[in-house]
Amino acid sequence: MLVAADVVKCLMFSSVFFVWVVRYQNIVQEFRAYQYPDWLRDVVGISKLTAVVLIMSSDARGVQLGASVIGLLMLAALATHVKVKNPPAKMLPSFVLLVLSSYLVWSAA
């Protein structure tokens, strides 16, 4: 189980880092398309990056906190996708991160 949790942690860290650092311009465009303010984009980005750093810690409470934050943000992301009527394929990354974060909350307990 420990190996699976470590793999999930690495996947989550990599995906959040890639989307919010490497492909940041896509995030800027998406938040503008959804008509969300820049400050919200910044708060979400800082929250996600902080959460995945917590997820990588060896402290079970830190992992649970980070995974819980990611889970809540993924629920909000899914709500946004539903609100703007995106196709299911655009919702898939948010859903997968929600499932993975739920697994980490459970496995770190």
Side-chain angles (χ1 to χ4, degrees):
M1 182 97 89
L2 184 60
V3 173
D6 287 342
V7 169
V8 168
K9 289 177 180 184
C10 289
L11 284 171
M12 290 181 68
F13 181 87
S14 302
S15 65
V16 169
F17 181 83
F18 183 75
V19 169
W20 282 88
V21 176
V22 177
R23 299 192 67 204
Y24 183 69
Q25 282 306 317
N26 287 3
I27 293 297
V28 170
Q29 292 170 355
E30 282 186 24
F31 271 70
R32 284 189 183 142
Y34 301 148
Q35 298 180 346
Y36 288 152
D38 291 345
W39 67 264
L40 180 60
R41 179 197 63 228
D42 295 342
V43 167
V44 169
I46 290 166
S47 298
K48 281 187 178 182
L49 291 169
T50 302
V52 293
V53 168
L54 282 170
I55 284 171
M56 296 304 290
S57 75
S58 58
D59 177 51
R61 280 195 239 170
V63 173
Q64 285 186 312
L65 177 60
S68 296
V69 169
I70 294 291
L72 289 172
L73 291 170
M74 292 306 98
L75 285 173
L78 285 169
T80 294
H81 287 299
V82 169
K83 176 183 164 191
V84 299
K85 298 181 173 115
N86 277 336
K90 282 209 76 156
M91 297 180 198
L92 188 59
S94 300
F95 179 74
V96 169
L97 280 177
L98 175 61
V99 170
L100 294 177
S101 63
S102 298
Y103 168 76
L104 284 182
V105 168
W106 171 77
S107 69

